[in-house]
Amino acid sequence: MSSWLDYTINGLIVGNVYALVAVGLALIFGVSRLINFAQGSIYLVGAYIGWVAVVQLHTPLPLTIIVVAVAAAIVGLIIERFGLRPLQNSVRIAPLLATIGISFVLDQLVMLTFSPNPRALPSQLPDVRFQVGGGTIGPLDLLIAGVGLTSALLLFVFLRYSKLGWAVRATAQDRDAAMQMGVDVNRVNQAVFGIAAALGGVSGMLVGMYYNQIDTAMSLQATLKGVVAEVVGGAGNVPGAVIGSLLLGLVESYGVAVFGTSYRNLFAFLLLVVVLVLRPNGLFASARQAPPEPLTGTFIAPSRPVRIPRWALAVAAGGFAVLPLFPVSFYVLQTLINAWLLGMLALSLTLVAGTIGQVSLGHAALLAIGAYSSALLSLTFSVPVGLAIIGGGLMSAALGTALISPSFRLRGHYVSIATLAIGEIVSLVILNWESVTRGPIGISGIPPLSLFGYDLISPTSIYWFSFAVMVVLALLQGRLLTSHLGRSFRAIRDDDIAARAYGLSLNRYKSLAFIFGGFAAGISGGIAAHLYSYINHETFNTQQSILALTVVILGGLGNVVGAIVGSVALVGLPELFRIAAEYRILIYGIVLLLLVRFRPQGLLGTI
Amino acid sequence: MGEQLKSLLSLRGLTRRFGGLTAVDAIDLDLAKGELISIIGPNGAGKTTLFNLVTGLDRPDAGTVSFEGQDVTGLSPERLAAEGIARTFQLGRVFGNLSVMDNVLIGAHTRLRAVKPAVPVIGPLLELGLALLRPSSVKAEEEKLREEMKAILARFGERLLPRIDQPAYSLSYANRRRVEIARALALKPRLLLLDEPTAGMNPTETAEMQGLVAELKAEGLTILLIEHKLEMVMRLSDRVVVMDEGKKIAEGPGEEVRGDPKVIEAYLGHGLATEQESAA
Ligand SMILES: Nc1ncnc2c1ncn2[C@@H]1O[C@H](COP(=O)(O)OP(=O)(O)O)[C@@H](O)[C@H]1O
Ligand SMILES: [Mg+2]
């Protein structure tokens, strides 16, 4: 019994921390219909500012909290002013991509400043525990509960009794009406981002103290948890976000009690997927809400794609095909092999995110499914490698589509959340399903690439093989785009309501897009597995998903040639300029931000 | 009405509530084959919501919709499109990044046969395969549709044909409305719902649109029209239905309805908002 009380207390305390993140997300969503994917990064920044204050400046606890809140709020204001405000009148996908870019830039800046190694963040509180009923509670628990309650109270008073708070509520209710009544929406956004960031930063610091450890992986986890709590409570619903957070904390805590720690996140994401599917408006919203009317064709930036003549494409392809015949270094070939593998992933993502408008943030999961399937087929069942890779592609197509299918009825930002969560679920299942995936040990000794009994060992043969596979996939995708499916996909992206009114089933066509895209990504993962000879649950991670997304935006959403050009550019240019690995992700994030701001249609234009 | 049997569409007690507001309140309506009924009423009367209920984009809280004698209440918009119900949208919902031709071809989506075999379960996979392989039957079907679409676009004179390959976002407002109507015609509808087709058009464009709707009616198409421009309504309609605050407050031939004191009051009571709009 006593342990149950402990788990309950622990669940509520952790839930309290999630609430600080989720309330910020809810406030932002309320006024700008935006899910701020950078919220976790502010939480990370808060944790590190707390570390600087405590460990280097030796500030007393109350001062530490104030320093963290103010510094984080400033970061939030900067994000609002320079990252999002310039995008106010742009297409709906722009702010979504911008917050993703900002989060990568912030995380990377923290990592470069403080190194990726975990650090200890002492809580400055006496290490005692009090008996409460059958469980125990420490001063830090009380502090977290106190901060949570105080913030809730302050927020309530602000929203209820201040003029700015009134403006925030009015904007959340009806933005256009609020603007007509003279509400300054920029000030409202500022207020909301400032508050959200302050809460998020303090939350990060408290969590660091709670576990006495901070590291840069905290960011993504916090974003995910905050989003889960917010969606469970109903996007934009502030009290709902608090209840959703407590519920999430309890679900996780009890889940850990029954199944063990490695299942903690699995429960969070399963809860998210269940809520998204069954009650996409949250637990407390009325079950049936008609979609708001005007959502016309403004999801992606309209543009006329750059037309590249066929002969030019043929010449370029021919040039790359004969490249190994010239005395090029191993290093160049290796770089281009990476570009071709990324190119296949980008082809897949540009179809899914660009052509049919489902901005997937968990695309690396498709690589992982393809890689594991192909590796296991060849190792366990001695399937020839060539066939195993195709098997990986098919498995990724089938399983990926099945996993994502519950979220086919979602739109815009929700699709991104769902794919992010499903990507995490895949990686957690790989980690925990030891009998099949060999868990954290990973799979080693994967046979090398081979075709019709000939091993492809030399860089030249691997180069040709991966290039040929990518070209075939690109040609198929190009053919798909010129068929009735291409126009059906694009119609669904531009206006899914009008598309349905003309008989296009969203389930059917989103499935077909994911089947085709899943196949390409699975093939890429399969080839990678045989190339690396060792894979584990971290080989295909969120960074690859984001890199692929940056490639796709760079090339132009939906643009097949753009996906390949973008891959060569983003793999090749950092090599050319010898940019150290740790700066690369920072550069990808900055590239993403600059593109969203200045050339949303990418280099070659959206199709 | 005694025409029950011949009616293509009948609504019985159709009701939709949004929170405390009853946007559509127990509407009964019968539409015979070949008939053109106009629905008029001040802004917020519930006309568009009624269209949403008929086309499956929204589901009624009470009441039934039947089409050709079959109960179709609550069917998905995809199913209803396949049954032959096409609509245009009040605010205009063209596919911005698609060319004019592709927009109109989407209208013909429910008529694709060769590329969309009606095989259960693996039908979608066959569709993917056929789209990639493109056997001659698929090519021929696509070609035939394209020719047909050009004929539909030709109904709009030189407005759309020269812009056939341009993306819809680059068209003028009036041309986008025309693309929407062309897309609806591409479905070969048995019932056409037009939601304020002339909103924002100048008098010349309005007259053109009126001519087109008259042509469609003469061809025997059954049409439900929401329209604020009363002159057009009077010219085209077999009957006029007046809605206010979700309820049907009058129904009958245009001249009769126009003089109805309840109708005049509904319009005056709403500050003539709609009259001003139709003048604009
Ligand atoms: N999705 C919705 N949610 C809430 N209220 C709605 C929704 N759609 C329409 N309404 C309300 O229903 C009423 C009727 O709207 P509508 O059918 O668009 O009127 P009309 O087309 O006659 O101008 C209006 O008061 C409108 O605000
Ligand atoms: Mg309307």
Side-chain angles (χ1 to χ4, degrees):
Chain A
M1 274 308 282
S2 75
S3 68
W4 278 106
L5 194 60
D6 270 339
Y7 282 117
T8 307
I9 291 172
N10 176 270
L12 290 175
I13 297 297
V14 172
N16 224 312
V17 172
Y18 294 158
L20 291 174
V21 179
V23 162
L25 285 169
L27 280 173
I28 291 174
F29 189 92
V31 301
S32 52
R33 296 285 173 268
L34 168 73
I35 288 179
N36 179 20
F37 281 93
Q39 190 73 2
S41 306
I42 295 173
Y43 166 102
L44 179 71
V45 169
Y48 276 87
I49 293 171
W51 180 85
V52 171
V54 171
V55 175
Q56 306 215 303
L57 307 176
H58 308 290
T59 51
L61 186 62
L63 188 58
T64 310
I65 295 178
I66 292 171
V67 166
V68 168
V70 170
I74 291 172
V75 176
L77 292 177
I78 293 175
I79 292 177
E80 191 277 327
R81 180 63 192 84
F82 298 102
L84 295 170
R85 200 182 297 179
L87 302 176
Q88 250 168 19
N89 298 318
S90 56
V91 290
R92 277 181 296 135
I93 197 177
L96 168 71
L97 295 172
T99 62
I100 293 168
I102 290 167
S103 93
F104 265 68
V105 170
L106 281 180
D107 289 1
Q108 222 48 38
L109 286 176
V110 169
M111 193 182 288
L112 291 173
T113 316
F114 294 96
S115 91
N117 300 329
R119 283 161 198 258
L121 178 55
S123 79
Q124 304 170 296
L125 287 170
D127 191 13
V128 291
R129 300 207 62 89
F130 313 109
Q131 286 288 328
V132 179
T136 66
I137 194 164
L140 191 57
D141 296 327
L142 294 175
L143 174 70
I144 291 175
V147 170
L149 290 176
T150 315
S151 315
L153 194 68
L154 285 178
L155 192 62
F156 178 79
V157 169
F158 165 75
L159 288 176
R160 194 97 225 169
Y161 299 107
S162 75
K163 197 150 182 288
L164 191 54
W166 173 82
V168 169
R169 282 189 296 141
T171 312
Q173 215 159 59
D174 187 337
R175 191 185 179 92
D176 294 333
M179 277 167 85
Q180 275 169 14
M181 290 169 68
V183 167
D184 181 349
V185 175
N186 284 337
R187 270 201 23 134
V188 166
N189 280 340
Q190 260 175 358
V192 162
F193 268 88
I195 293 171
L199 293 175
V202 170
S203 167
M205 180 205 74
L206 291 174
V207 170
M209 290 180 174
Y210 192 68
Y211 295 111
N212 192 16
Q213 181 182 319
I214 57 175
D215 65 59
T216 43
M218 292 166 68
S219 163
L220 181 64
Q221 290 302 324
T223 301
L224 285 169
K225 296 298 172 60
V227 167
V228 176
E230 195 224 349
V231 171
V232 169
N237 178 346
V238 174
V242 175
I243 298 174
S245 305
L246 297 177
L247 193 66
L248 175 61
L250 288 174
V251 165
E252 278 188 12
S253 191
Y254 294 143
V256 168
V258 177
F259 295 97
T261 343
S262 59
Y263 286 88
R264 174 183 286 271
N265 292 338
L266 203 52
F267 283 105
F269 301 135
L270 286 177
L271 180 67
L272 173 68
V273 174
V274 168
V275 169
L276 277 181
V277 170
L278 297 182
R279 300 194 67 99
N281 294 321
L283 291 182
F284 313 111
S286 74
R288 208 157 60 87
Q289 271 182 344
E293 251 265 5
L295 268 174
T296 21
T298 50
F299 185 65
I300 66 167
S303 77
R304 282 168 212 256
V306 178
R307 294 238 172 266
I308 303 173
R310 268 166 190 246
W311 62 262
L313 290 176
V315 168
F320 277 113
V322 300
L323 188 72
L325 301 178
F326 294 90
V328 287
S329 70
F330 170 74
Y331 175 69
V332 169
L333 288 186
Q334 187 60 50
T335 305
L336 284 172
I337 289 170
N338 288 339
W340 306 146
L341 288 177
L342 178 62
M344 295 174 213
L345 181 67
L347 282 172
S348 166
L349 187 59
T350 210
L351 181 74
V352 165
T355 309
I356 200 164
Q358 310 294 297
V359 179
S360 159
L361 296 182
H363 229 60
L366 296 173
L367 290 179
I369 296 173
Y372 271 85
S373 306
S374 186
L376 291 173
L377 279 173
S378 59
L379 271 176
T380 318
F381 301 100
S382 311
V383 175
V385 170
L387 284 180
I389 291 174
I390 293 177
L394 293 176
M395 192 68 178
S396 187
L399 202 57
T401 309
L403 285 173
I404 197 71
S405 61
S407 62
F408 282 163
R409 14 183 282 181
L410 306 175
R411 307 172 133 169
H413 294 199
Y414 286 103
V415 177
S416 304
I417 298 170
T419 46
L420 193 58
I422 290 166
E424 292 293 307
I425 289 176
V426 167
S427 120
L428 287 168
V429 167
I430 289 175
L431 180 64
N432 285 302
W433 196 10
E434 292 192 21
S435 60
V436 172
T437 63
R438 306 186 195 170
I441 303 162
I443 299 181
S444 51
I446 304 170
L449 285 174
S450 72
L451 212 54
F452 309 117
Y454 296 100
D455 282 354
L456 308 178
I457 305 281
S458 74
T460 314
S461 57
I462 295 171
Y463 175 93
W464 272 325
F465 177 72
S466 49
F467 181 65
V469 172
M470 184 196 68
V471 168
V472 169
L473 288 172
L475 289 173
L476 279 176
Q477 191 159 324
R479 199 164 166 78
L480 186 73
L481 291 185
T482 55
S483 74
H484 81 288
L485 285 179
R487 77 173 171 257
S488 303
F489 290 174
R490 295 165 65 223
I492 287 173
R493 169 196 68 197
D494 277 5
D495 188 335
D496 56 353
I497 293 194
R500 291 188 70 196
Y502 282 91
L504 276 71
S505 149
L506 301 187
N507 280 338
R508 183 184 183 110
Y509 292 109
K510 288 183 184 177
S511 296
L512 289 182
F514 271 94
I515 285 174
F516 191 93
F519 182 74
I523 294 275
S524 173
I527 295 176
H530 296 280
L531 213 55
Y532 304 161
S533 85
Y534 170 76
I535 55 174
N536 66 19
H537 69 284
E538 283 173 334
T539 311
F540 307 100
N541 54 26
T542 315
Q543 286 187 1
Q544 264 154 313
S545 301
I546 301 295
L547 173 58
L549 190 62
T550 312
V551 166
V552 165
I553 310 287
L554 178 66
L557 280 158
N559 196 317
V560 167
V561 179
I564 296 169
V565 171
S567 300
V568 174
L570 280 193
V571 172
L573 292 183
E575 296 289 346
L576 202 62
F577 295 110
R578 314 253 160 204
I579 295 169
E582 60 262 38
Y583 286 97
R584 284 190 189 170
I585 295 162
L586 181 64
I587 289 172
Y588 299 147
I590 292 172
V591 168
L592 187 59
L593 283 176
L594 291 177
L595 281 170
V596 169
R597 175 81 176 82
F598 295 106
R599 200 170 162 82
Q601 73 274 40
L603 291 178
L604 300 185
T606 51
I607 288 187
Chain B
M1 300 222 40
E3 295 224 325
Q4 286 283 34
L5 280 178
K6 273 201 278 173
S7 79
L8 183 70
L9 177 78
S10 30
L11 314 180
R12 287 289 169 272
L14 208 59
T15 302
R16 176 70 167 113
R17 297 183 200 93
F18 295 115
L21 175 102
T22 308
V24 172
D25 197 349
I27 295 283
D28 293 333
L29 185 71
D30 284 284
L31 183 59
K33 276 203 180 99
E35 205 178 9
L36 189 154
I37 295 188
S38 291
I39 303 179
I40 64 170
N43 281 330
K47 307 179 296 292
T48 299
T49 306
L50 185 72
F51 268 26
N52 288 344
L53 295 175
V54 172
T55 53
L57 289 175
D58 197 355
R59 273 197 271 172
D61 294 302
T64 57
V65 181
S66 23
F67 187 63
E68 298 232 304
Q70 278 179 23
D71 185 6
V72 296
T73 321
L75 287 191
S76 69
E78 299 93 289
R79 276 290 306 280
L80 292 167
E83 292 290 324
I85 301 182
R87 73 173 284 181
T88 64
F89 293 88
Q90 178 177 358
L91 298 167
R93 302 187 91 136
V94 291
F95 304 111
N97 290 282
L98 267 60
S99 67
V100 170
M101 176 55 106
D102 279 348
N103 264 281
V104 185
L105 277 168
I106 290 288
H109 184 84
T110 55
R111 295 167 51 207
L112 294 170
R113 290 288 174 275
V115 77
K116 258 186 3 188
V119 185
V121 189
I122 58 160
L125 290 177
L126 287 178
E127 185 178 351
L128 180 61
L130 288 169
L132 290 173
L133 293 174
R134 268 182 249 166
S136 56
S137 62
V138 169
K139 273 191 201 144
E141 180 179 58
E142 182 86 4
E143 270 318 301
K144 197 168 138 276
L145 277 181
R146 278 176 191 270
E147 287 309 313
E148 198 184 307
M149 297 306 116
K150 282 186 195 151
I152 290 176
L153 292 171
R155 301 191 77 136
F156 298 85
E158 286 299 293
R159 301 281 194 184
L160 297 178
L161 273 182
R163 304 180 171 84
I164 200 162
D165 290 321
Q166 288 184 17
Y169 75 80
S170 69
L171 301 180
S172 71
Y173 178 76
N175 270 340
R176 273 185 273 170
R177 309 294 322 241
R178 293 186 185 106
V179 168
E180 267 212 288
I181 291 173
R183 183 174 70 187
L185 295 178
L187 188 140
K188 280 213 174 151
R190 292 195 284 169
L191 170 63
L192 176 63
L193 295 91
L194 299 171
D195 196 344
E196 301 194 26
T198 69
M201 286 190 174
N202 66 31
T204 324
E205 293 164 342
T206 303
E208 247 180 68
M209 186 59 71
Q210 183 176 328
L212 178 71
V213 178
E215 258 176 60
L216 296 173
K217 178 173 177 331
E219 289 165 20
L221 190 56
T222 315
I223 299 174
L224 207 51
L225 171 72
I226 297 178
E227 186 49 67
H228 281 314
K229 292 177 183 164
L230 285 184
E231 196 198 336
M232 175 168 165
V233 168
M234 294 302 155
R235 288 259 169 97
L236 292 173
S237 318
D238 296 315
R239 269 186 298 149
V240 177
V241 169
V242 189
M243 283 180 73
D244 186 31
E245 296 181 343
K247 294 193 186 63
K248 180 163 86 179
I249 57 167
E251 175 174 4
E255 294 309 323
E256 208 173 279
V257 161
R258 193 178 212 172
D260 191 324
K262 270 192 291 185
V263 176
I264 295 168
E265 202 217 298
Y267 272 83
L268 289 175
H270 289 277
L272 284 173
T274 47
E275 294 287 340
Q276 279 162 9
E277 196 185 81
S278 62

